[in-house]
């Protein structure tokens, strides 16, 4: 941690000690934002705040925003309105940070219509939060701490993890790809990779604390750039696999255009790396992919999948698909369905295209909403028609599960996940504990979960 952060953390700590002040963080968006929120929570706990889930009873409310999905703004402004009422009854500090604060015009909008917001921070200034909160709490200043240039990578921020056995480790920030529908490169800046030694240090620390599963995070993990012996993402994966105690390794998200053979080999050769690859397709049509600036064709994507399936026994794939991209025709959409049939993804995250102001695609000719919905329903139907068959493949197989907790619907049962991310419910024996990795034979396949029995 930097000296400045420590200084302000200490100052706040002295000021609020014994006052039992509470914080609440509302996180929107992806796993990277979740990981940022864990760091924000880590800083706040050091300052002396303690967490409360109901933000209505918090003394400090932080919104960690996302601007990738439609309606994010309305949701945020709705919530801000609720806090305004709270501020009238108790002296709640309201801080807003994250991707949306980096959007053009956002600062002015908040200044004009929501002037009661106390602290605004961006994606490159999260590490300044102790100082920002100090200025608001002690000096009663309105703080705007947003910069446009890519921030440095701050190491050593305190962190309060949400989970005890699974953890996310961010390996890089930003994105250079400028897919034409996406706002991320504008709000998160260009790619910056963490030093391999810092990543390995963090993973070793997690192993010592008893974590079993880690997910390496980045907007585009396979363009990770290291140094020395660990030059690229494949080297990093191989090295992380050598850390004792970590039994499962996942990563998200890779870009198909950067998926090199050495990464495929690393997955094939290391038992610890989960055999599910999230490979965002977005569209199955080469012309649409070109207008999305994805830099691969339908054929290249399918060849890559074939290569993975040949080299990695038992590999399964999940994906993201955008339906109704500007100018997409019915015929072009058929190509997406064709790829879905051919690859047989086990999981698809489907999105209806929506305009992100400031992106190239927002200027293109949009297609009617009903058309988008019609295509979405077609894709959903196709995907759902494959779910039973995909789940039945697991019947009578023995799967390793990381036990995540008791089942929400039946407290006598435990719930865990296979390395391919399937939820499995089973009756534990006396020795089984949350956080263990156990072998379970799959006995029933349901649409959204599997059932199994512990194998002695
Ligand atoms: S790779 Fe494309 S979709 Fe992913 S963050 Fe970068 S610009 Fe956005």
């Amino acid at each position: 941690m930097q000296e400045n952060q420590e200084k302000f953390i200490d100052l706040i700590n002295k000021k609020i000690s014994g006052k039992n002040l509470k914080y609440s963080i509302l996180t929107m968006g992806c796993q990277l934002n979740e990981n940022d929120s864990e760091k924000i929570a880590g800083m706040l706990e050091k300052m002396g705040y303690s967490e409360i889930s109901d933000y209505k009873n918090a003394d400090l409310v932080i919104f960690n925003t996302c601007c990738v999905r439609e309606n994010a703004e309305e949701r945020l402004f709705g919530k801000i309105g609720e806090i305004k009422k709270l501020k009238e009854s108790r002296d709640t500090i309201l801080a807003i940070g994250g991707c949306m604060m980096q959007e053009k015009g956002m600062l002015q909008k908040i200044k004009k219509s929501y002037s009661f917001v106390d602290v605004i921070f961006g994606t490159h200034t999260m590490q300044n939060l102790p100082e920002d909160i100090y200025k608001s709490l002690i000096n009663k200043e309105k703080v705007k701490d947003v910069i446009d240039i890519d921030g440095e990578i701050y190491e050593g921020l305190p962190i309060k993890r949400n989970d005890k056995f699974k953890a996310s480790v961010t390996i890089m920030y930003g994105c250079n790809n400028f897919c034409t529908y996406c706002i991320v490169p504008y709000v998160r800046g260009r790619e910056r990779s963490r030093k391999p030694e810092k990543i390995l240090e963090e993973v070793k620390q997690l192993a010592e604390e008893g974590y079993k599963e880690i997910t390496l995070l980045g907007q585009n993990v396979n363009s990770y750039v290291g140094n020395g012996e660990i030059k690229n993402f494949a080297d990093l994966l191989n090295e992380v696999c050598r850390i004792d105690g970590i039994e499962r390794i996942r990563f998200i998200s890779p870009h198909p255009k950067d998926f090199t053979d050495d990464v495929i080999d690393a997955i094939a050769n290391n038992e610890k790396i989960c055999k599910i690859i999230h490979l965002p397709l977005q569209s199955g049509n080469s012309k649409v992919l070109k207008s999305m600036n994805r830099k691969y064709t339908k054929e290249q994507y399918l060849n890559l999948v074939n290569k993975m399936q040949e080299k990695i026994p038992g590999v399964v794939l999940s994906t993201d698909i955008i339906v109704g991209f500007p100018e997409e025709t019915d015929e072009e959409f058929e190509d997406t369905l064709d790829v879905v049939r051919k690859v047989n993804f086990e999981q698809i995250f489907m999105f209806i295209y929506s305009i992100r102001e400031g992106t190239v695609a927002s200027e293109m000719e949009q297609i009617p909403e009903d058309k988008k919905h019609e295509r979405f329903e077609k894709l959903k139907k196709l995907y759902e028609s494959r779910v039973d068959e995909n789940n039945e493949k697991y019947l009578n197989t023995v799967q390793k599960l990381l036990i995540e907790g008791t089942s929400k619907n039946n407290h006598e049962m435990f719930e865990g996940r296979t390395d391919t991310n399937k939820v499995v419910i089973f009756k534990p024996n006396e020795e089984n504990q949350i956080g263990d990795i156990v072998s379970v034979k799959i006995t029933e396949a349901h649409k959204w979960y599997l059932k199994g029995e512990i194998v002695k």
Side-chain angles (χ1 to χ4, degrees):
M1 214 183 355
Q2 310 281 306
E3 233 175 75
N4 203 42
Q5 288 149 7
E6 281 185 26
K7 180 180 120 188
F8 284 102
I9 284 175
D10 280 351
L11 284 171
I12 296 175
N13 198 295
K14 284 191 188 104
K15 209 78 196 168
I16 69 173
S17 127
K19 290 190 177 161
N20 194 23
L21 296 189
K22 307 281 186 206
Y23 74 90
S24 185
I25 305 176
L26 278 83
T27 308
M28 301 167 178
C30 64
Q31 273 177 278
L32 279 153
N33 256 19
E34 294 282 351
N35 192 230
D36 281 350
S37 288
E38 290 182 328
K39 290 172 191 156
I40 293 172
M43 290 190 270
L44 297 176
E45 300 252 336
K46 283 222 154 192
M47 290 175 208
Y49 285 94
S50 55
E51 192 173 14
I52 186 165
S53 54
D54 182 3
Y55 65 89
K56 295 192 176 88
N57 293 317
D59 303 281
L60 169 61
V61 176
I62 302 212
F63 291 152
N64 188 9
T65 64
C66 163
C67 55
V68 171
R69 300 271 158 260
E70 198 185 20
N71 300 333
E73 260 186 50
E74 291 98 280
R75 271 188 60 215
L76 174 71
F77 291 129
K79 291 265 180 243
I80 295 181
E82 287 177 34
I83 305 289
K84 186 180 182 195
K85 287 189 206 119
L86 283 183
K87 281 178 82 68
E88 284 157 13
S89 57
R90 57 189 293 155
D91 209 10
T92 309
I93 292 179
L94 173 58
I96 310 180
C99 297
M100 210 188 279
M101 298 306 108
Q102 297 286 151
E103 270 189 282
K104 230 173 154 189
M106 186 53 72
L107 279 183
Q108 287 73 4
K109 187 166 179 176
I110 292 185
K111 207 169 154 190
K112 189 165 162 240
S113 311
Y114 304 91
S115 56
F116 55 89
V117 174
D118 301 290
V119 176
I120 302 174
F121 60 101
T123 53
H124 308 300
T125 51
M126 187 183 81
Q127 67 287 342
N128 299 343
L129 207 54
E131 183 174 352
D132 296 342
I133 290 176
Y134 179 88
K135 286 179 182 165
S136 170
L137 183 74
I138 310 298
N139 303 347
K140 306 289 175 206
E141 281 177 43
K142 295 282 180 213
V143 183
K144 294 189 181 49
D145 189 8
V146 180
I147 53 168
D148 271 340
I149 46 163
D150 297 347
E152 295 167 44
I153 293 181
Y154 277 83
E155 294 292 351
L157 291 181
I159 186 159
K160 184 185 178 229
R161 307 232 176 226
N162 292 331
D163 218 293
K164 284 200 168 61
F165 304 101
K166 301 196 301 181
S168 300
V169 175
T170 300
I171 63 165
M172 59 185 298
Y173 299 87
C175 180
N176 294 350
N177 288 320
F178 289 93
C179 299
T180 54
Y181 51 83
C182 182
I183 194 85
V184 166
Y186 304 93
V187 295
R188 288 257 172 195
R190 297 296 73 72
E191 288 171 4
R192 285 103 63 211
S193 297
R194 283 179 74 195
K195 291 200 172 95
E197 53 273 26
K198 292 291 177 193
I199 298 169
L200 296 172
E201 212 175 88
E202 185 175 343
V203 178
K204 279 181 194 150
Q205 175 72 31
L206 287 165
E208 274 164 30
E209 289 169 19
Y211 283 85
K212 301 272 176 66
E213 178 178 308
I214 58 148
T215 302
L216 303 176
L217 294 181
Q219 301 295 349
N220 192 9
V221 280
N222 45 353
S223 39
Y224 174 79
V225 181
N227 57 45
E229 302 271 285
I230 303 169
K231 289 188 182 53
N232 54 32
F233 186 53
D235 295 341
L236 182 69
L237 277 176
N238 286 320
E239 208 50 45
V240 170
C241 287
R242 294 200 180 97
I243 297 175
D244 288 339
I246 297 298
E247 296 186 37
R248 276 184 171 183
I249 297 155
R250 303 183 187 275
F251 56 87
I252 193 164
S253 280
H255 195 302
K257 77 172 167 59
D258 299 316
F259 219 111
T260 47
D261 287 357
D262 52 2
V263 174
I264 298 179
D265 291 340
I267 302 168
N269 298 336
N270 286 297
E271 219 182 289
K272 289 183 177 182
I273 304 178
C274 294
K275 301 297 177 265
I276 182 165
I277 300 175
H278 184 74
L279 193 66
L281 169 67
Q282 310 304 7
S283 165
N285 177 269
S286 300
K287 184 167 160 268
V288 176
L289 285 167
K290 195 158 194 289
S291 6
M292 288 177 163
N293 195 29
R294 292 290 292 171
K295 300 197 176 84
Y296 53 86
T297 61
K298 174 185 182 183
E299 291 67 34
Q300 284 166 334
Y301 186 92
L302 287 173
N303 287 341
L304 176 60
V305 170
N306 284 340
K307 207 193 291 180
M308 287 172 173
Q309 288 169 338
E310 272 166 26
K311 285 193 164 183
I312 310 169
V315 72
V316 302
L317 285 118
S318 63
T319 199
D320 299 327
I321 294 177
I322 297 172
V323 172
F325 186 74
E327 297 168 10
E328 179 191 64
T329 64
D330 284 338
E331 293 70 39
E332 287 162 355
F333 173 64
E334 283 302 317
D335 271 332
T336 299
L337 299 180
D338 186 45
V339 175
V340 169
R341 280 187 206 100
K342 286 189 168 122
V343 178
N344 198 18
F345 298 103
E346 280 212 0
Q347 216 176 355
I348 304 181
F349 299 92
M350 298 170 249
F351 306 97
I352 293 178
Y353 172 80
S354 63
I355 290 178
R356 290 283 81 92
E357 292 304 339
T359 59
V360 174
S362 69
E363 309 284 324
M364 294 168 68
E365 196 183 326
Q366 306 297 313
I367 64 170
E369 284 303 313
D370 55 346
K371 196 46 121 182
K372 291 187 203 172
H373 285 268
E374 194 187 291
R375 287 181 196 160
F376 182 86
E377 287 307 318
K378 242 182 165 174
L379 174 62
K380 191 164 156 247
K381 209 165 151 203
L382 172 62
Y383 167 58
E384 289 186 356
S385 72
R386 302 291 184 102
V387 171
D388 289 340
E389 199 187 310
N390 275 330
N391 285 349
E392 277 161 18
K393 282 193 305 210
Y394 286 83
L395 280 175
N396 299 316
T397 63
V398 173
Q399 299 288 325
K400 284 213 159 127
L401 307 184
L402 172 65
I403 307 178
E404 296 190 346
T406 48
S407 160
K408 281 163 211 87
N409 300 324
N410 181 347
H411 291 298
E412 286 178 9
M413 305 287 269
F414 270 3
E415 191 176 295
R417 271 176 204 269
T418 65
D419 82 334
T420 56
N421 234 348
K422 290 277 170 201
V423 173
V424 183
I425 315 279
F426 66 98
K427 194 168 174 47
N429 62 30
E430 308 84 64
E431 291 123 54
N432 300 151
Q433 293 197 9
I434 293 164
D436 285 351
I437 294 194
V438 292
S439 294
V440 167
K441 185 175 175 188
I442 305 303
T443 54
E444 289 176 33
H446 298 266
K447 203 152 199 99
W448 307 120
Y449 69 96
L450 305 171
K451 240 179 170 178
E453 284 167 4
I454 277 280
V455 176
K456 297 277 176 203

